[in-house]
Amino acid sequence: AYAAPDYAREKRWAEQVAPDILTGKVVYLTQKNQHKFLGIYTQGGKNRMAVIVVHGMGVHPNWGIIALLRQQLAEHGYTTFSIQMPVLAANASYQSYSALFPDAVDRLKIAVKHLNQLGYKRIAIVSHSNGSRMSRRYLINNPASLTAWAALSLTRGDTFKGVKVPILDLYGEKDLSHVLASAAKRKA
Protein backbone atom coordinates (compact mmCIF):
# COMPACT_ATOMS: atom_id res chain seq x y z
CA ALA A 1 0.00 0.00 0.00
CA TYR A 2 1.16 3.51 -0.77
CA ALA A 3 1.71 5.85 2.15
CA ALA A 4 1.88 9.57 1.39
CA PRO A 5 4.11 11.93 3.35
CA ASP A 6 2.29 13.88 6.05
CA TYR A 7 3.10 17.41 4.84
CA ALA A 8 0.76 18.99 7.39
CA ARG A 9 2.74 17.37 10.22
CA GLU A 10 5.99 18.60 8.69
CA LYS A 11 4.57 22.11 8.42
CA ARG A 12 3.48 22.13 12.08
CA TRP A 13 6.95 21.04 13.17
CA ALA A 14 8.63 23.65 10.99
CA GLU A 15 6.41 26.33 12.51
CA GLN A 16 7.30 25.12 16.02
CA VAL A 17 10.99 24.42 15.47
CA ALA A 18 12.15 27.24 13.19
CA PRO A 19 11.58 30.18 15.59
CA ASP A 20 13.55 28.43 18.34
CA ILE A 21 16.72 27.68 16.35
CA LEU A 22 19.59 29.32 18.23
CA THR A 23 22.47 27.53 16.53
CA GLY A 24 22.24 27.53 12.76
CA LYS A 25 20.11 29.09 10.10
CA VAL A 26 16.72 27.90 8.87
CA VAL A 27 16.70 27.04 5.15
CA TYR A 28 13.79 25.78 3.09
CA LEU A 29 14.48 23.55 0.09
CA THR A 30 11.93 22.75 -2.61
CA GLN A 31 11.22 19.38 -4.18
CA LYS A 32 10.06 18.90 -7.78
CA ASN A 33 6.47 18.63 -6.55
CA GLN A 34 6.91 22.14 -5.05
CA HIS A 35 6.84 20.84 -1.47
CA LYS A 36 9.15 22.92 0.73
CA PHE A 37 10.95 21.13 3.52
CA LEU A 38 12.91 22.43 6.49
CA GLY A 39 16.66 22.36 6.77
CA ILE A 40 18.92 23.72 9.50
CA TYR A 41 22.29 24.87 8.16
CA THR A 42 25.07 25.41 10.69
CA GLN A 43 28.38 26.59 9.35
CA GLY A 44 31.41 25.05 10.98
CA GLY A 45 34.95 26.35 11.12
CA LYS A 46 37.53 26.31 8.36
CA ASN A 47 37.04 22.59 7.75
CA ARG A 48 35.55 22.41 4.26
CA MET A 49 33.58 19.27 4.98
CA ALA A 50 29.83 19.22 5.45
CA VAL A 51 27.71 16.63 7.21
CA ILE A 52 24.06 15.98 6.39
CA VAL A 53 22.33 14.96 9.62
CA VAL A 54 19.38 12.63 9.06
CA HIS A 55 16.79 11.97 11.79
CA GLY A 56 14.85 8.80 12.46
CA MET A 57 11.19 7.87 12.12
CA GLY A 58 8.52 10.38 13.00
CA VAL A 59 10.68 13.23 14.33
CA HIS A 60 12.18 16.48 13.01
CA PRO A 61 15.65 17.91 12.18
CA ASN A 62 16.15 19.49 15.60
CA TRP A 63 15.01 16.52 17.70
CA GLY A 64 17.05 15.13 20.61
CA ILE A 65 20.23 13.38 19.45
CA ILE A 66 19.96 15.03 16.01
CA ALA A 67 20.09 18.51 17.56
CA LEU A 68 23.13 17.49 19.60
CA LEU A 69 24.89 16.04 16.56
CA ARG A 70 24.26 19.03 14.32
CA GLN A 71 25.42 21.50 16.98
CA GLN A 72 28.40 19.59 18.34
CA LEU A 73 29.75 18.62 14.92
CA ALA A 74 29.63 22.32 13.99
CA GLU A 75 31.53 23.16 17.20
CA HIS A 76 34.22 20.74 16.00
CA GLY A 77 34.54 22.53 12.68
CA TYR A 78 32.12 20.62 10.45
CA THR A 79 29.32 22.40 8.66
CA THR A 80 26.06 20.56 9.33
CA PHE A 81 22.83 20.47 7.39
CA SER A 82 19.99 18.73 9.22
CA ILE A 83 17.02 18.19 6.92
CA GLN A 84 13.41 17.21 7.45
CA MET A 85 12.93 13.70 6.17
CA PRO A 86 9.47 12.59 5.05
CA VAL A 87 7.18 11.51 7.87
CA LEU A 88 3.86 9.74 8.17
CA ALA A 89 1.08 10.18 10.70
CA ALA A 90 2.12 9.63 14.32
CA ASN A 91 0.44 6.19 14.46
CA ALA A 92 2.15 4.83 11.30
CA SER A 93 4.22 1.65 11.53
CA TYR A 94 7.85 1.42 10.52
CA GLN A 95 6.83 -0.90 7.65
CA SER A 96 4.83 1.95 6.11
CA TYR A 97 7.93 4.14 5.93
CA SER A 98 9.51 2.15 3.08
CA ALA A 99 6.97 3.81 0.77
CA LEU A 100 8.66 7.14 1.61
CA PHE A 101 12.18 6.04 0.63
CA PRO A 102 11.99 7.54 -2.90
CA ASP A 103 10.94 10.86 -1.36
CA ALA A 104 13.79 10.60 1.16
CA VAL A 105 16.31 9.93 -1.62
CA ASP A 106 15.01 12.99 -3.46
CA ARG A 107 15.48 15.17 -0.36
CA LEU A 108 19.01 13.90 0.16
CA LYS A 109 19.86 14.66 -3.48
CA ILE A 110 18.53 18.19 -3.02
CA ALA A 111 20.54 18.64 0.19
CA VAL A 112 23.76 17.43 -1.47
CA LYS A 113 23.16 19.76 -4.43
CA HIS A 114 22.55 22.68 -2.04
CA LEU A 115 25.80 22.00 -0.19
CA ASN A 116 27.68 21.63 -3.50
CA GLN A 117 26.35 25.04 -4.56
CA LEU A 118 27.73 26.47 -1.29
CA GLY A 119 31.16 25.11 -2.24
CA TYR A 120 31.25 21.85 -0.28
CA LYS A 121 32.83 18.99 -2.21
CA ARG A 122 33.41 16.66 0.73
CA ILE A 123 30.07 15.64 2.22
CA ALA A 124 29.23 12.87 4.68
CA ILE A 125 25.98 11.65 6.21
CA VAL A 126 25.33 10.98 9.89
CA SER A 127 22.00 9.24 10.28
CA HIS A 128 19.94 7.68 13.05
CA SER A 129 17.54 4.74 13.09
CA ASN A 130 15.04 4.86 10.22
CA GLY A 131 17.01 7.80 8.84
CA SER A 132 19.85 5.31 8.39
CA ARG A 133 17.56 3.10 6.33
CA MET A 134 16.64 6.10 4.16
CA SER A 135 20.29 7.13 3.86
CA ARG A 136 21.26 3.60 2.83
CA ARG A 137 18.84 3.77 -0.09
CA TYR A 138 20.38 7.07 -1.16
CA LEU A 139 23.96 5.79 -0.86
CA ILE A 140 23.32 2.65 -2.90
CA ASN A 141 22.03 4.73 -5.81
CA ASN A 142 24.34 7.78 -5.49
CA PRO A 143 27.72 6.45 -4.36
CA ALA A 144 29.89 9.19 -5.87
CA SER A 145 28.16 12.09 -4.14
CA LEU A 146 29.40 11.39 -0.59
CA THR A 147 32.70 10.65 1.11
CA ALA A 148 31.56 8.76 4.24
CA TRP A 149 28.59 7.56 6.28
CA ALA A 150 28.12 7.19 10.02
CA ALA A 151 25.04 5.03 10.59
CA LEU A 152 23.64 5.13 14.12
CA SER A 153 21.40 2.20 15.01
CA LEU A 154 20.65 0.97 11.49
CA THR A 155 17.34 -0.80 12.00
CA ARG A 156 15.28 -3.73 10.86
CA GLY A 157 18.03 -6.02 9.63
CA ASP A 158 19.35 -3.73 6.89
CA THR A 159 22.98 -4.25 5.92
CA PHE A 160 25.59 -2.19 4.11
CA LYS A 161 25.49 -4.32 0.97
CA GLY A 162 25.87 -2.12 -2.08
CA VAL A 163 27.22 0.90 -0.19
CA LYS A 164 30.60 1.97 -1.55
CA VAL A 165 31.72 4.71 0.86
CA PRO A 166 33.56 4.26 4.17
CA ILE A 167 31.05 3.39 6.91
CA LEU A 168 31.08 3.81 10.67
CA ASP A 169 28.43 1.50 12.15
CA LEU A 170 27.47 2.81 15.59
CA TYR A 171 25.06 1.12 17.98
CA GLY A 172 24.68 0.86 21.71
CA GLU A 173 25.40 -2.10 23.92
CA LYS A 174 21.74 -1.98 25.01
CA ASP A 175 20.32 -0.82 21.68
CA LEU A 176 17.03 -2.12 20.28
CA SER A 177 17.01 -5.89 19.85
CA HIS A 178 16.60 -5.73 16.06
CA VAL A 179 19.61 -3.39 15.79
CA LEU A 180 21.77 -5.73 17.87
CA ALA A 181 20.51 -8.87 16.12
CA SER A 182 21.80 -7.68 12.75
CA ALA A 183 25.18 -6.31 13.93
CA ALA A 184 27.16 -9.36 12.76
CA LYS A 185 25.34 -9.30 9.43
CA ARG A 186 26.21 -5.61 8.99
CA LYS A 187 29.85 -6.28 9.88
CA ALA A 188 30.08 -8.98 7.21
Side-chain angles (χ1 to χ4, degrees):
Y2 178 76
D6 189 338
Y7 291 152
R9 188 174 185 202
E10 285 185 35
K11 184 177 183 224
R12 284 190 306 275
W13 275 336
E15 290 169 352
Q16 292 169 0
V17 169
D20 294 331
I21 298 299
L22 300 176
T23 303
K25 174 180 152 188
V26 172
V27 175
Y28 286 93
L29 300 176
T30 305
Q31 293 181 264
K32 290 177 189 166
N33 66 2
Q34 300 309 304
H35 172 67
K36 292 184 186 221
F37 63 95
L38 174 67
I40 305 168
Y41 174 80
T42 308
Q43 191 165 359
K46 295 185 187 218
N47 184 336
R48 292 302 300 163
M49 183 165 191
V51 178
I52 299 172
V53 184
V54 182
H55 64 77
M57 185 174 96
V59 293
H60 56 73
N62 199 44
W63 170 84
I65 190 172
I66 299 304
L68 291 172
L69 283 167
R70 73 170 193 80
Q71 293 169 16
Q72 290 182 8
L73 284 167
E75 289 173 9
H76 286 88
Y78 296 94
T79 291
T80 62
F81 194 35
S82 183
I83 62 171
Q84 178 66 58
M85 298 308 286
V87 297
L88 295 171
N91 62 351
S93 69
Y94 83 89
Q95 294 100 328
S96 302
Y97 269 82
S98 61
L100 301 184
F101 287 4
D103 195 33
V105 167
D106 186 45
R107 291 182 191 202
L108 287 165
K109 283 181 187 175
I110 293 166
V112 168
K113 182 178 178 183
H114 180 75
L115 289 169
N116 287 157
Q117 290 170 341
L118 293 175
Y120 294 96
K121 303 298 178 219
R122 293 175 47 221
I123 302 170
I125 288 182
V126 174
S127 58
H128 178 250
S129 189
N130 199 52
S132 291
R133 295 181 73 217
M134 292 176 171
S135 298
R136 176 184 175 273
R137 179 68 64 89
Y138 173 81
L139 284 156
I140 288 171
N141 296 308
N142 300 278
S145 66
L146 297 171
T147 58
W149 178 28
L152 286 69
S153 298
L154 181 60
T155 61
R156 304 296 170 195
D158 279 354
T159 67
F160 299 119
K161 184 177 181 181
V163 177
K164 297 181 176 25
V165 299
I167 301 163
L168 178 60
D169 181 20
L170 294 170
Y171 55 92
E173 176 183 15
K174 296 181 181 181
D175 214 317
L176 298 172
S177 60
H178 57 84
V179 172
L180 295 173
S182 59
K185 193 173 166 186
R186 289 193 309 275
K187 183 177 180 182

